[in-house]
Amino acid sequence: MLHTDISTAITDLLFTPGLDLEVAVDRHFAPDYRQRTDGRWDDRQEFLAHIAHLRQVVAGGSVQVHDELVDGDRYAHRHTVNATKNDGATVRMEVYLFGEFAPDGRFRRIEETTLMLEGTADDRNLGSAR
């Protein structure tokens, strides 16, 4: 089965200037998508609001993949997001996630926890900020 991956999704969502938010989300996330980040559940609309907020805060960055496993419709991934904010500050977060693919290869569900490696106390909730 062909499927998306989280590093490509994050790059499209946050680090590809000019790519429409709806286009980026539709490319990687199924209509019934839900996400839990650090214990907080969001539906697709709440996820869109989160990404729209990040697009206003983040100027650029990259994703460093550490581990990635796929087994049928199940997905596990560990990565570090390196982001530069519009004010020039940097944030590094390590992310551990488990996911499920929809039949079309887009994400149906992601459950993740984040570990801030670099940033300020205000950046701690960047993974779920709106």
Side-chain angles (χ1 to χ4, degrees), residues 1 3 14-15 20 22 34 51 53 56 58-59 68 77 82 89-90 92 96 118-119 126:
M1 160 172 51
H3 57 79
L14 298 179
F15 307 136
D20 181 76
E22 293 283 342
R34 329 180 303 136
I51 297 302
H53 170 75
Q56 294 175 352
V58 174
E68 182 175 48
H77 200 272
N82 302 291
T90 59
R92 286 184 347 125
Y96 305 83
E118 178 183 336
L126 203 57

Side-chain angles (χ1 to χ4, degrees), residues 1 3 7 48 57 60 84 87 100 114 119 126 129:
M1 160 172 51
H3 57 79
S7 56
L48 277 164
V57 174
T84 303
D87 65 4
E100 177 185 0
T114 62
L126 203 57

Side-chain angles (χ1 to χ4, degrees), residues 25-26 28-34 44 102 104 106-108:
V25 170
D26 284 342
H28 302 285
F29 302 93
D32 60 345
Y33 178 70
R34 329 180 303 136
R44 185 177 161 119
D104 64 6
R106 294 183 291 173
F107 288 113
R108 170 177 280 147

Side-chain angles (χ1 to χ4, degrees), residues 7-124:
S7 56
T8 303
I10 292 169
T11 299
D12 281 356
L13 292 171
L14 298 179
F15 307 136
T16 306
L19 181 58
D20 181 76
L21 177 59
E22 293 283 342
V23 170
V25 170
D26 284 342
R27 186 178 290 171
H28 302 285
F29 302 93
D32 60 345
Y33 178 70
R34 329 180 303 136
Q35 179 170 315
R36 183 172 73 170
T37 303
D38 297 327
R40 177 189 173 144
W41 279 105
D42 287 329
D43 63 18
R44 185 177 161 119
Q45 286 308 114
E46 292 164 326
F47 175 71
L48 277 164
H50 165 63
I51 297 302
H53 170 75
L54 289 181
R55 284 182 162 204
Q56 294 175 352
V57 174
V58 174
S62 63
V63 179
Q64 179 184 5
V65 176
H66 305 296
D67 299 293
E68 182 175 48
L69 300 167
V70 177
D71 185 13
D73 68 347
R74 302 300 175 169
Y75 184 75
H77 200 272
R78 183 174 68 93
H79 62 273
T80 300
V81 176
N82 302 291
T84 303
K85 295 176 12 180
N86 289 328
D87 65 4
T90 59
V91 178
R92 286 184 347 125
M93 297 193 90
E94 190 166 347
V95 180
Y96 305 83
L97 72 81
F98 291 94
E100 177 185 0
F101 293 113
D104 64 6
R106 294 183 291 173
F107 288 113
R108 170 177 280 147
R109 177 186 50 83
I110 287 179
E111 296 182 49
E112 65 182 13
T113 189
T114 62
L115 172 65
M116 190 168 73
L117 303 173
E118 178 183 336
T120 67
D122 291 340
D123 298 325
R124 188 161 308 282

